[in-house]
């Protein structure tokens, strides 16, 4: 589902050092306009940090798993090359199965994280600001 590009004003104060500071200053201003309490704002930031940490953790784990599975897959191909067909095919399928299982686990973990009720609205706003400031 594509979200519409609603009109949005971007405030640039002049003391920002980069695009990210402009975006987050505007997000804080919009959260104030949405009448979000400081506790709601802190809850959003906690959720954002938790999600970013989880994504980083999942990416590192998947990269390690992919490398290990490629090594084991290569070992399976080697076994096939030296005429140990059944063992080589078994090792190869096992490495692919383990990789698929780890990807599924990573997906399930990322889906379980709880988000505050205004999280999606604020993230949508951040995406719009990011697109407009490119």
């Amino acid at each position: 589902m594509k979200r519409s590009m609603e009109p949005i004003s971007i405030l640039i104060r002049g003391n920002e050092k980069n695009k990210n500071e402009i975006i987050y200053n505007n997000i804080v201003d919009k959260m104030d306009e949405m009448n979000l309490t400081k506790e709601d704002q802190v809850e959003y930031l906690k959720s954002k940090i938790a999600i970013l940490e989880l994504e980083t953790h999942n990416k590192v784990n998947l990269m390690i798993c992919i490398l290990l599975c490629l090594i084991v897959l290569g070992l399976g191909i080697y076994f096939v090359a030296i005429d140990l067909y059944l063992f080589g095919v078994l090792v190869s399928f096992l490495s692919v199965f383990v990789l698929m299982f780890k990807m599924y686990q990573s997906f399930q973990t990322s889906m379980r994280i709880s988000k505050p009720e205004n999280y999606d609205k604020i993230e949508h706003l951040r995406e719009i600001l990011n697109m407009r400031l490119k």
Side-chain angles (χ1 to χ4, degrees):
M1 182 168 128
K2 188 175 179 178
R3 295 183 181 177
S4 64
M5 295 286 291
E6 59 262 3
I8 187 168
S9 60
I10 300 173
L11 176 66
I12 300 175
R13 294 183 181 106
N15 59 350
E16 294 92 348
K17 295 178 183 144
N18 56 38
K19 180 177 81 167
N20 289 331
E21 281 188 40
I22 295 170
I23 290 171
Y24 285 106
N25 285 343
N26 279 275
I27 287 175
V28 169
D29 292 341
K30 293 298 180 187
M31 285 192 290
D32 288 338
E33 287 176 18
M34 294 168 63
N35 295 324
L36 292 179
T37 64
K38 292 297 178 188
E39 291 81 25
D40 290 338
Q41 292 179 20
V42 168
E43 196 61 36
Y44 163 76
L45 292 173
K46 284 181 186 177
S47 297
K48 183 68 176 172
I49 290 170
I51 289 169
L52 289 173
E53 286 176 348
L54 180 65
E55 286 176 358
T56 302
H57 178 74
N58 283 344
K59 285 178 185 177
V60 169
N61 279 345
L62 281 176
M63 289 305 295
I64 291 170
C65 186
I66 288 170
L67 287 174
L68 290 174
C69 287
L70 283 175
I71 291 170
V72 172
L73 183 63
L75 187 62
I77 292 171
Y78 171 74
F79 287 138
V80 168
I82 62 170
D83 295 332
L84 293 172
Y85 298 111
L86 184 60
F87 189 65
V89 169
L90 182 66
V91 167
S92 298
F93 278 123
L94 183 65
S95 74
V96 171
F97 176 75
V98 167
L99 180 59
M100 289 179 0
F101 179 72
K102 290 299 280 182
M103 290 175 83
Y104 175 75
Q105 274 186 327
S106 174
F107 175 74
Q108 287 296 326
T109 304
S110 66
M111 294 305 291
R112 272 188 245 137
I113 195 159
S114 63
K115 299 175 186 173
E117 82 181 47
N118 290 322
Y119 184 84
D120 290 329
K121 289 180 188 175
I122 297 169
E123 279 301 296
H124 179 62
L125 174 66
R126 187 189 62 76
E127 290 170 7
I128 291 171
L129 288 168
N130 197 24
M131 285 189 307
R132 297 266 171 96
L133 289 174
K134 280 191 177 184

